[in-house]
Amino acid sequence: MNSYNGIMVYVEFGENGLLPITRQLLGCGRKIADELGEPLSAVIVGSKGIEEGSDAAQLGADTVYIVEHELLRQYRTETYVAALEQLVRQQRPTALLMGQTYVGRDLAPSLAFRLETIAVLDCIALEIDHASRVLLLTKPVCGGNAVATFTSMYYPQIITIRDKAMLPMEPSFGKNAHVVHFAVSLEPRSFKTRLIKKVKEEGEGLRLEEAAVIISGGRGIGGAEGFRQLHETAAILHAAVGGSRPACDNRGVAPNRQIGITGKIVSPDLYIAVGISGSIQQMSGCGQAKRIVAINKDPDAPIFKYADFGVVGDWKKVFPSFSAKLKELVS
Ligand SMILES: Cc1cc2nc3c(=O)[nH]c(=O)nc-3n(C[C@H](O)[C@H](O)[C@H](O)COP(=O)(O)OP(=O)(O)OC[C@H]3O[C@@H](n4cnc5c(N)ncnc54)[C@H](O)[C@@H]3O)c2cc1C
């Protein structure tokens, strides 16, 4: 029996308010907490005023910790890890859930190191083994070709969860959480990094992480000229455009549009892969899509093993009629 108690969720905000992954973490956290008979808490880290507009009390957690400090005004790994370390050491949750976001991926390992515990990143399922009350952490392994379930005897368990792997929790209006302002002690001189400036990520069109439909091009598309056609079709479908690593290297799409193990991990409802062979490194980033459609001239291309629907043919011939039919269907 361990002396840790409760599931804690790290809350993240984007430009449009609460990130969808936070609602998913709260939904998963609530289920696990209820099964364990333990409380669910949420933590919001930032500077003065974060409570305003965050509907902190209505996130659906039992307790919401607000961690405010001047040094937490801008995200900085060192200061956020220090603040979370203090809260987690005091509250001793069984698990801290974070999104598999830039921030979650950045914070989780550093925090786990500080707490001398484990971090399990990129989980797609979280369950309880009812006999032992141990958390079962499921995540893709071997470049996404298999999934494995892990357990750990180290606490607290720091876990990141992939976007769209869990159902979101609806805001529980009417049920007010207990809001606690947690005072942290941060000494400016102990932090070695300084934020000099923030540069907004440039990108054409819809963000890959938010798109329900992604059209992704590979080396087979060639360069920017070929990608123009993908962009036109994407506009019809309200889709985002992404690419494989060679497509980014060939400047067909921006580097921040690369999908795969060293790019973005996406899980759209529909992934249309055009001129992509289907390497392990590419499929690690898109294998969780609900439906995959592939267009490739090579009938033996590995992408067809993953595709729900496939067309064998030259994309320059296939894609225009595919696009025209889509236009007809949505008009
Ligand atoms: C450490 C490491 C990390 C990596 N990370 C990533 C990553 O994050 N993302 C990623 O994508 N890759 C990554 N790679 C590269 C990866 O191994 C593959 O080389 C890459 O995914 C292949 O991209 P591709 O499918 O676009 O190109 P190719 O493998 O060259 O495939 C091109 C495909 O286009 C088809 N084609 C060609 N012409 C046409 C046509 N006219 N019509 C229809 N089909 C056509 C071909 O039949 C072929 O199947 C990584 C590699 C390493 C070693």
Side-chain angles (χ1 to χ4, degrees):
M1 194 66 187
N2 70 68
S3 62
Y4 293 83
N5 186 47
I7 303 295
M8 185 178 275
V9 166
Y10 178 77
V11 175
E12 268 190 74
F13 294 95
E15 281 176 4
N16 303 319
L18 204 62
L19 285 190
I21 182 70
T22 296
R23 292 235 176 273
Q24 297 157 28
L25 297 177
L26 287 162
C28 162
R30 171 51 77 203
K31 181 171 167 288
I32 298 291
D34 288 351
E35 283 180 32
L36 287 171
E38 295 181 4
L40 174 69
S41 63
V43 49
I44 305 176
V45 181
S47 61
K48 279 217 173 316
I50 46 173
E51 198 180 349
E52 293 153 26
S54 67
D55 286 333
Q58 299 190 336
L59 289 171
D62 302 307
T63 305
V64 176
Y65 295 99
I66 307 268
V67 186
E68 281 178 336
H69 194 284
E70 193 53 26
L71 290 178
L72 301 170
R73 185 194 290 269
Q74 301 276 9
Y75 176 76
R76 219 180 346 157
T77 317
E78 278 187 299
T79 51
Y80 273 54
V81 166
L84 282 170
E85 184 189 354
Q86 290 175 32
L87 177 70
V88 172
R89 280 197 189 281
Q90 193 208 65
Q91 291 304 314
R92 299 173 67 80
T94 302
L96 172 62
L97 310 185
M98 298 178 161
Q100 175 73 3
T101 58
Y102 282 125
V103 168
R105 282 152 67 172
D106 187 39
L107 285 178
S110 306
L111 184 60
F113 176 76
R114 288 279 192 96
L115 295 166
E116 295 177 73
T117 182
I118 56 141
V120 181
L121 272 65
D122 198 23
C123 291
I124 54 170
L126 194 54
E127 284 167 319
I128 306 275
D129 175 62
H130 289 281
S132 61
R133 293 171 58 82
V134 160
L135 291 178
L136 304 173
L137 310 164
T138 301
K139 58 171 284 172
V141 292
C142 303
N145 279 336
V147 290
T149 299
F150 298 88
T151 60
S152 167
M153 301 317 288
Y154 289 90
Y155 294 92
Q157 298 184 357
I158 313 293
I159 299 160
T160 71
I161 293 183
R162 190 180 281 199
D163 190 26
K164 297 189 188 140
M166 315 276 171
L167 290 174
M169 173 151 78
E170 289 306 318
S172 56
F173 295 110
K175 179 180 186 286
N176 277 351
H178 179 46
V179 177
V180 176
H181 288 262
F182 180 80
V184 278
S185 143
L186 302 175
E187 170 52 54
R189 276 175 303 179
S190 63
F191 302 112
K192 297 186 175 52
T193 55
R194 208 158 44 91
L195 182 78
I196 297 167
K197 72 171 177 177
K198 270 176 115 177
V199 182
K200 202 169 180 321
E201 185 182 67
E202 280 182 30
E204 220 181 301
L206 198 59
R207 293 180 68 228
L208 289 168
E209 297 88 334
E210 286 162 9
V213 181
I214 293 175
I215 304 182
S216 191
R219 200 196 307 265
I221 296 293
E225 182 52 38
F227 268 90
R228 196 162 304 140
Q229 291 190 50
L230 303 198
H231 279 288
E232 281 167 21
T233 308
I236 304 169
L237 283 177
H238 194 58
V241 175
S244 67
R245 188 153 107 176
C248 296
D249 293 346
N250 293 339
R251 299 178 186 273
V253 269
N256 61 10
R257 298 254 149 191
Q258 180 184 317
I259 293 166
I261 201 161
T262 46
K264 299 227 161 112
I265 294 181
V266 295
S267 41
D269 295 337
L270 177 61
Y271 189 77
I272 305 173
V274 192
I276 289 185
S277 59
S279 67
I280 288 175
Q281 291 85 4
Q282 158 72 199
M283 299 318 291
S284 305
C286 62
Q288 296 292 322
K290 287 206 185 97
R291 288 268 182 274
I292 297 179
V293 173
I295 301 173
N296 196 303
K297 68 176 184 185
D298 176 5
D300 296 323
I303 188 77
F304 289 122
K305 285 192 288 184
Y306 303 94
D308 299 281
F309 303 98
V311 181
V312 178
D314 184 343
W315 78 274
K316 288 184 204 129
K317 295 188 184 136
V318 175
F319 201 72
S321 39
F322 175 70
S323 184
K325 188 70 188 170
L326 282 176
K327 208 180 265 179
E328 188 188 308
L329 289 171
V330 298
S331 62

